[in-house]
Amino acid sequence: MERYNFKVVEEKWQDYWTKNKSFKSTLNKSKKKFYCLEMFPYPSGKIHMGHVRNYTIGDVLSRYKSMLGFNVLHPMGWDSFGMPAENAAKENKLDPKIWTEKNISVMKTQLKKLGLSIDWEREISTCSEEYYKHQQLFFLELYDKGLVYKKENYVNWDPIDETVLANEQVIDGKGWRSGAVVERKKLNQWFFNISKFSDELLKGLDELKFWPNKVKIMQKNWIGKSFGCEVNFKVEGDLPIKTIKCFTTRPDTLFGFSFLAVSVDHPISEHFKENPEFIRFKKECSKTGTTEESIAQGEKIGFNTNVMAVNPLNEKQKVPIYFANFVLMDYGFGAVFGCPAHDQRDLDFALKYNLPVKTVVKPLNEDDTYQVKKEAYTGIGEIINSDFLNGLKVPEESVIKTIEILEEKKLGNKKINFRLKDWGVSRQRYWGCPIPVAYNENGDVIKIPNDQLPVRLPENINLKEKGNPLDKVKSWKHIKINGKDCFRETDTLDTFVDSSWYFLRFCSPNSKDYGYNIDEINYWMPVDQYIGGVEHAILHLLYSRFFMRALNYKNDQFKITEPFEGLFTQGMVCHETYKDENNNWLSPEEVESEDGKNFYIKNYPDKKAIVGSSESMSKSKKNTIDPEYIINNFGADAVRLFILSDSPPEKDVQWSEQGMVASYKFMQKLWVLHKKFKDKIKEDTTSEDNEIEIFINQMIEKINYNLEKFHYNVIIANLYESYNFFTQKLNQNISKKNLLDSYTKFLSIISPVLPHFTSECLADLKLNPFQKWPEVDKNLIKNDTVEYVIQINGKKRAILKYMKDINQEELMKEIINNQETKKIIENKKIIKCFFVKNRLINILI
RNA sequence: GCCCUCGUGGUGAAAUUGGUAGACACAAAGGACUUAAAAUCCUUGCCCUUUUGGGAGUGCCAGUUCGAGUCUGGCCGAGGGCACCA
């Protein structure tokens, strides 16, 4: 028997698809569109298993939708600006552009080997001038709309990468890439006014019906809307500042006021800047803000100003004002009123500095003598010890009533506050999109005029030196605008800007004058199904949602607000980890085992290798498997089969060598089955048996369901199930009638997973390799007989095949007459029966 | 600390509205074929019983229901997100 030669077959069909431009998509308003997009890769060098999984999932969906008759857009591109290119340039003296382009070429070849149904004519790369020149126009448009501004601000400074990080890029006080402890630094930075859309971004989440709840909740928490009010506190003493404004969600606890805490950056700090003790305290705070230990401990420290604040609801009460490390300048007004009894953080602080703790809310089951001791009470209850607020129900009336009182007395106003801060987009890097502005002698911002756009990155520059590379290229930096000397902005844009609109560019990749063509995006957008890792739940997905609103703002033609109609977050690919006895990571190729239990270093049976937990594949843990090696040895179809088979796509999957081999063997078995089918179709047999037809129609129905629900692992099980059925059935005397038709349908429904294999089989049968998605023949699967489950007292006792749609009496008659079942209820008194039509009967005896 | 998700055989997992738990696969054990091995195929898979058959069983404890992996409450465990957000 001829073996299935995946190398020849896969290459043949990949060539065929390329030559015939099989996946080219064109705008066709008479057809319903389907935009399927996977998160585009960063060209780091080679593709990894995560890409294989991500793009296989997308490819199955694209091919399925295309067979259903949709006009499918399935593009691919490169998120090609970013730090690794610059690091490679530093370490290996490679030009970032050349390094990046080389990687793209390698990875493109690798992706093609997977047999993806991608329209490569739409390929884009964010580091190309053709891409970033449009981004510069967007930047200037947003500037004109007032959505971009510059301000001096404290930023997260990464001392290793020497760049600014967005809040989202700081993880546990460390830079997300370098791992360096982040410092606070004051810099003049460009910002996108994302907070302007806080409420819209929050409300928009409700419209996203096809997003995972998990992601929506994460974004909701990130935006962090809270309802409360601003309260003005009078300040007593000699300071020129006479009031301090606070934001609070609990104005109802104002009578429990015991101190006022402000940030060390609060305007009031101006009047302490010469106080040496305050200087020392401020220094202490800047340290605790970022180090991991302090965050873990959460120690609260304060500096007493010896200035007093007045309780607006009780003019007689005066409390001390402290500078405190836990108050953030960029939330609320950089000041909080402290009510220790009903806020754990305030209580910690009060206990440390011996400040009074006055209970003003009691739980419903306590009386008025209830007192808070070491644990703040934040639950529901009733207001006490609060003069005219006493008796209010917490929280349903107390907050609103107190705000009304404050507004009436002109002491405060209702306010909604958001946690979401504006997006700082300046990066002190070379390999990014240049910000298209310059400054004149006075430092005023001058937009680069149209005829001097785009601002191109200078080439052949020295990246060895520390600091901002563009700042050192004098010939590039100094320019003339309208005859006047200016110098360029030397920061580049955060690469998350690049990926905030690339999905628009895919719709009109050749639009020369502008980033998109309005006709084309209005046809293709929104992305119907976006697929990628959950690690982008906040950053990329929130920025993209913002960017669409920013383009939409003051632009009647631009209709899009939500870029991604459907979102699917796939899990990671994991593998066991190995270490030698000295705790050094070992790669899977470096270890060997004979029994699958005891591992040792290859060729050194006395050197033990320790098997660690299975973790997501990463270079640092050396537990990666190279997709190219696997594709070359087992074939793309077998890899696609395996990567989908073991776990549901949203969960992590365990890479298993054995599983991979099994998938490969299965491909061979499928080929044998194909030959059997081919022979059988030629044979002249007669039999009225139509089981194959029935089976395949039931299978189409199952696969339809599983495809729509993303249960791709179950589809693979369905495939195995079909194989098992067919191998049995083909050994029997079966009807030739409709055999070819059934087999064609079978090949069609597995073709999204195994496109090379099925194309080959269809061609072998002289059939069109591009089949339509088969429809279910309802008449065929309309079975006359049904398996009824016979339960006694809720326990399964028998299964009875009988006519469909019968009623309870008929079924009971059958049970009594049936050899097998009659003994179950013989001589028993039947109390009650529960009958579910065509399903089961539960007899209580 | 707050929020979210998930706990099913030796393993990865199926189970569409509450209605046959463990589909499908991996691993294991036994067997067939073979001079032998590899490959392939078959059988088994918790407890009791020689078999027929019966029993327990979806993290634990309760509840709702004729019937719960699925719904409700509490507990335990694992993973993820946020981190002084006033």
Side-chain angles (χ1 to χ4, degrees):
Chain A
M1 172 74 73
E2 159 210 351
R3 279 181 77 74
Y4 176 62
N5 190 335
F6 71 83
K7 274 204 174 108
V8 174
V9 172
E10 291 184 352
E11 212 180 295
K12 168 180 157 189
W13 289 101
Q14 282 162 21
D15 285 350
Y16 179 91
W17 295 329
T18 307
K19 279 194 194 114
N20 291 281
K21 298 188 175 177
S22 304
F23 309 116
K24 185 181 167 75
S25 38
T26 44
L27 193 149
N28 178 353
K29 286 186 179 166
S30 66
K31 258 177 120 184
K32 223 178 155 202
K33 64 95 184 179
F34 189 88
Y35 187 174
C36 178
L37 183 67
E38 301 100 5
M39 291 180 182
F40 65 162
Y42 178 81
S44 55
K46 290 166 131 192
I47 62 165
H48 55 71
M49 278 301 170
H51 292 132
V52 173
R53 196 176 194 204
N54 192 175
Y55 302 142
T56 301
I57 294 168
D59 198 50
V60 168
L61 183 64
S62 294
R63 286 176 181 269
Y64 164 63
K65 289 288 178 182
S66 165
M67 288 171 80
L68 277 175
F70 283 91
N71 190 19
V72 170
L73 174 60
H74 187 212
M76 183 58 74
W78 309 96
D79 189 13
S80 50
F81 268 139
M83 292 275 305
E86 233 169 292
N87 291 338
K90 276 186 204 166
E91 284 157 26
N92 307 319
K93 290 187 188 165
L94 292 164
D95 184 82
K97 193 175 177 193
I98 294 167
W99 183 85
T100 304
E101 279 168 359
K102 193 187 119 236
N103 289 347
I104 288 176
S105 131
V106 170
M107 289 171 74
K108 188 173 171 182
T109 311
Q110 291 184 317
L111 286 182
K112 284 201 159 183
K113 280 191 171 182
L114 266 177
L116 303 175
S117 60
I118 280 166
D119 180 0
W120 284 105
E121 285 183 21
R122 290 177 186 261
E123 181 181 2
I124 57 172
S125 177
T126 58
C127 73
S128 72
E129 190 187 313
E130 267 315 296
Y131 186 84
Y132 73 69
K133 73 177 188 190
H134 302 299
Q135 190 160 307
Q136 292 179 348
L137 276 177
F138 288 145
F139 182 93
L140 294 173
E141 269 178 36
L142 262 54
Y143 181 77
D144 289 339
K145 291 180 187 178
L147 297 175
V148 176
Y149 64 96
K150 206 175 184 192
K151 73 168 179 194
E152 188 163 71
N153 194 330
Y154 282 100
V155 294
N156 305 301
W157 179 256
D158 184 322
I160 289 186
D161 285 348
E162 293 188 313
T163 188
V164 167
L165 300 173
N167 289 316
E168 295 88 325
Q169 292 166 337
V170 181
I171 297 151
D172 291 336
K174 290 177 179 170
W176 70 312
R177 274 223 132 93
S178 70
V181 173
V182 170
E183 294 167 4
R184 273 159 56 88
K185 202 171 171 179
K186 215 169 190 181
L187 272 180
N188 222 346
Q189 299 280 302
W190 285 101
F191 284 86
F192 282 0
N193 192 358
I194 184 168
S195 63
K196 184 185 176 78
F197 299 94
S198 296
D199 217 17
E200 284 183 47
L201 286 166
L202 185 68
K203 281 189 190 132
L205 291 172
D206 294 336
E207 309 300 313
L208 299 172
K209 298 276 176 339
F210 303 101
W211 276 41
N213 227 359
K214 179 174 60 171
V215 175
K216 289 197 273 188
I217 287 164
M218 279 162 77
Q219 290 209 356
K220 189 179 165 212
N221 292 341
W222 191 264
I223 294 165
K225 181 178 183 173
S226 48
F227 172 83
C229 77
E230 51 181 67
V231 185
N232 289 314
F233 291 83
K234 271 190 202 151
V235 177
E236 291 213 327
D238 307 331
L239 291 181
I241 292 174
K242 294 296 175 201
T243 59
I244 290 176
K245 204 176 255 187
C246 292
F247 171 74
T248 177
T249 55
R250 295 298 304 275
D252 53 334
T253 62
L254 258 172
F255 280 94
F257 189 31
S258 112
F259 64 92
L260 198 132
V262 296
S263 160
V264 290
D265 301 317
H266 193 272
I268 197 176
S269 70
E270 271 299 299
H271 309 288
F272 293 86
K273 66 181 177 192
E274 261 136 50
N275 181 332
E277 277 178 63
F278 176 69
I279 293 166
R280 204 177 318 127
F281 176 77
K282 192 172 170 176
K283 213 173 201 177
E284 188 71 15
C285 287
S286 77
K287 258 193 257 163
T288 53
T290 48
T291 66
E292 208 175 2
E293 308 89 89
S294 71
I295 288 169
Q297 285 169 6
E299 204 198 335
K300 288 156 191 65
I301 51 171
F303 178 88
N304 195 338
T305 59
N306 293 316
V307 179
M308 304 297 269
V310 181
N311 187 343
L313 292 185
N314 176 13
E315 300 249 328
K316 281 175 220 154
Q317 193 198 6
K318 282 155 198 167
V319 303
I321 300 175
Y322 280 82
F323 286 109
N325 66 334
F326 60 82
V327 185
L328 309 169
M329 191 56 223
D330 48 10
Y331 185 81
F333 302 98
V336 302
F337 98 85
C339 174
H342 307 290
D343 183 307
Q344 192 58 44
R345 180 201 51 200
D346 294 348
L347 184 60
D348 294 345
F349 190 80
L351 291 175
K352 181 159 179 176
Y353 292 99
N354 280 322
L355 296 159
V357 179
K358 184 182 169 193
T359 305
V360 290
V361 179
K362 71 170 182 71
L364 293 170
N365 56 350
E366 297 275 353
D367 64 28
D368 286 4
T369 60
Y370 170 78
Q371 279 200 330
V372 167
K373 291 273 186 315
K374 284 201 171 137
E375 219 171 291
Y377 182 72
T378 55
I380 58 167
E382 193 184 308
I383 300 283
I384 53 168
N385 302 327
S386 299
D387 199 351
F388 48 87
L389 298 180
N390 281 344
L392 289 176
K393 296 272 171 294
V394 179
E396 62 269 28
E397 24 174 61
S398 61
V399 176
I400 296 168
K401 279 270 164 66
T402 315
I403 293 173
E404 279 170 15
I405 292 167
L406 286 165
E407 283 185 332
E408 215 171 279
K409 298 189 172 181
K410 304 224 179 317
L411 297 167
N413 286 302
K414 187 166 82 185
K415 179 153 172 85
I416 285 160
N417 220 350
F418 292 93
R419 186 181 166 276
L420 184 67
K421 287 165 203 137
D422 280 343
W423 175 14
V425 292
S426 299
R427 296 291 180 274
Q428 293 67 46
R429 308 276 19 138
Y430 166 70
W431 196 234
C433 173
I435 296 174
V437 298
Y439 305 93
N440 64 14
E441 288 172 339
N442 306 325
D444 301 323
V445 173
I446 313 281
K447 295 197 292 174
I448 303 288
N450 273 336
D451 58 355
Q452 292 182 32
L453 284 175
V455 179
R456 294 185 183 86
L457 280 174
E459 292 181 5
N460 301 319
I461 69 143
N462 177 15
L463 289 162
K464 281 264 176 187
E465 283 176 66
K466 287 212 161 193
N468 186 345
L470 289 179
D471 199 33
K472 300 194 179 79
V473 190
K474 301 289 178 232
S475 58
W476 180 84
K477 191 177 164 185
H478 293 279
I479 51 166
K480 274 201 195 309
I481 294 175
N482 299 329
K484 285 188 180 141
D485 282 333
C486 292
F487 55 94
R488 289 187 192 278
E489 168 64 65
T490 57
D491 287 351
T492 51
L493 287 173
D494 180 4
T495 56
F496 276 109
V497 180
D498 310 343
S499 53
S500 290
W501 68 280
Y502 77 107
F503 40 88
L504 293 183
R505 189 66 192 163
F506 276 138
C507 300
S508 38
N510 301 316
S511 169
K512 287 263 183 291
D513 306 325
Y514 200 64
Y516 57 79
N517 170 295
I518 193 74
D519 246 12
E520 288 177 307
I521 61 164
N522 281 342
Y523 174 70
W524 291 113
M525 287 296 289
V527 173
D528 293 273
Q529 188 63 59
Y530 197 33
I531 307 166
V534 73
E535 65 273 19
H536 293 109
I538 297 169
L539 298 161
H540 162 59
L541 291 170
L542 190 61
Y543 292 155
S544 300
R545 295 182 62 224
F546 155 73
F547 213 81
M548 291 309 99
R549 283 167 173 79
L551 293 177
N552 185 298
Y553 187 65
K554 297 186 184 171
N555 180 348
D556 294 336
Q557 279 204 297
F558 193 93
K559 309 263 193 256
I560 303 143
T561 48
E562 288 297 342
F564 313 119
E565 175 112 342
L567 174 70
F568 188 87
T569 54
Q570 100 269 4
M572 290 182 293
V573 184
C574 300
H575 194 272
E576 272 180 345
T577 48
Y578 309 99
K579 281 182 175 181
D580 66 14
E581 284 170 324
N582 300 321
N583 229 19
N584 299 312
W585 296 107
L586 295 167
S587 71
E589 297 97 69
E590 291 173 290
V591 299
E592 232 174 13
S593 172
E594 263 144 35
D595 55 5
K597 284 172 196 154
N598 299 299
F599 286 77
Y600 54 87
I601 295 171
K602 213 171 215 170
N603 304 325
Y604 298 95
D606 52 328
K607 286 191 181 168
K608 258 176 74 180
I610 300 139
V611 182
S613 60
S614 180
E615 295 189 52
S616 65
M617 288 187 181
S618 77
K619 279 180 194 163
S620 63
K621 287 173 198 137
K622 283 198 176 181
N623 62 339
T624 57
I625 301 287
D626 177 17
E628 193 169 10
Y629 171 83
I630 300 289
I631 295 169
N632 288 340
N633 280 277
F634 300 102
D637 281 341
V639 176
R640 295 165 65 111
L641 182 67
F642 174 68
I643 205 79
L644 296 176
S645 68
D646 267 16
S647 295
E650 69 276 11
K651 281 178 58 175
D652 287 354
V653 65
Q654 172 78 30
W655 181 267
S656 133
E657 186 70 22
Q658 275 160 336
M660 187 58 246
V661 171
S663 294
Y664 170 76
K665 284 181 184 165
F666 183 69
M667 292 307 301
Q668 295 296 340
K669 292 205 261 180
L670 268 186
W671 185 244
V672 174
L673 179 73
H674 168 72
K675 291 294 178 194
K676 272 193 194 162
F677 258 113
K678 201 180 168 190
D679 292 345
K680 207 81 181 179
I681 287 161
K682 280 189 220 145
E683 261 176 46
D684 194 23
T685 49
T686 47
S687 162
E688 283 313 301
D689 174 78
N690 64 346
E691 260 192 68
I692 285 197
E693 278 181 275
I694 293 169
F695 179 87
I696 194 67
N697 277 282
Q698 287 171 334
M699 195 46 80
I700 297 167
E701 210 170 46
K702 280 191 199 175
I703 293 204
N704 283 344
Y705 176 82
N706 289 324
L707 272 167
E708 294 293 341
K709 296 263 178 187
F710 278 103
H711 294 175
Y712 290 3
N713 56 325
V714 188
I715 288 173
I716 307 304
N718 293 150
L719 167 56
Y720 278 109
E721 216 180 299
S722 307
Y723 172 85
N724 292 343
F725 174 82
F726 290 141
T727 42
Q728 294 248 323
K729 202 69 198 166
L730 286 184
N731 288 331
Q732 296 167 15
N733 194 28
I734 51 162
S735 162
K736 192 186 152 185
K737 184 174 148 276
N738 296 334
L739 187 61
L740 179 63
D741 179 60
S742 294
Y743 183 51
T744 308
K745 283 178 177 162
F746 170 67
L747 289 174
S748 304
I749 58 176
I750 63 168
S751 67
V753 179
L754 309 172
H756 309 90
F757 175 83
T758 51
S759 299
E760 182 68 13
C761 292
L762 287 165
D764 191 36
L765 296 168
K766 311 266 181 302
L767 294 167
N768 184 350
F770 293 102
Q771 292 284 321
K772 278 190 184 146
W773 194 258
E775 275 180 40
V776 179
D777 184 342
K778 297 266 186 205
N779 287 324
L780 266 173
I781 57 170
K782 212 199 290 163
N783 244 338
D784 308 336
T785 55
V786 168
E787 286 186 342
Y788 290 90
V789 177
I790 316 300
Q791 292 185 338
I792 304 293
N793 293 337
K795 271 186 187 137
K796 181 183 78 174
R797 281 291 177 264
I799 289 169
L800 206 61
K801 264 196 186 174
Y802 200 59
M803 296 287 288
K804 203 180 169 185
D805 290 337
I806 54 163
N807 60 28
Q808 187 177 334
E809 285 72 37
E810 286 173 274
L811 181 62
M812 279 310 286
K813 215 184 279 171
E814 181 66 14
I815 292 167
I816 293 159
N817 292 330
N818 187 288
Q819 282 279 330
E820 198 195 340
T821 50
K822 72 177 178 192
K823 63 188 172 187
I824 304 173
I825 52 166
E826 250 175 351
N827 311 320
K828 301 268 165 58
K829 197 184 164 199
I830 294 168
I831 302 166
K832 205 171 179 183
C833 281
F834 289 86
F835 176 71
V836 184
K837 201 178 169 189
N838 292 329
R839 227 173 195 148
L840 62 71
I841 186 160
N842 189 6
I843 306 164
L844 304 187
I845 54 173

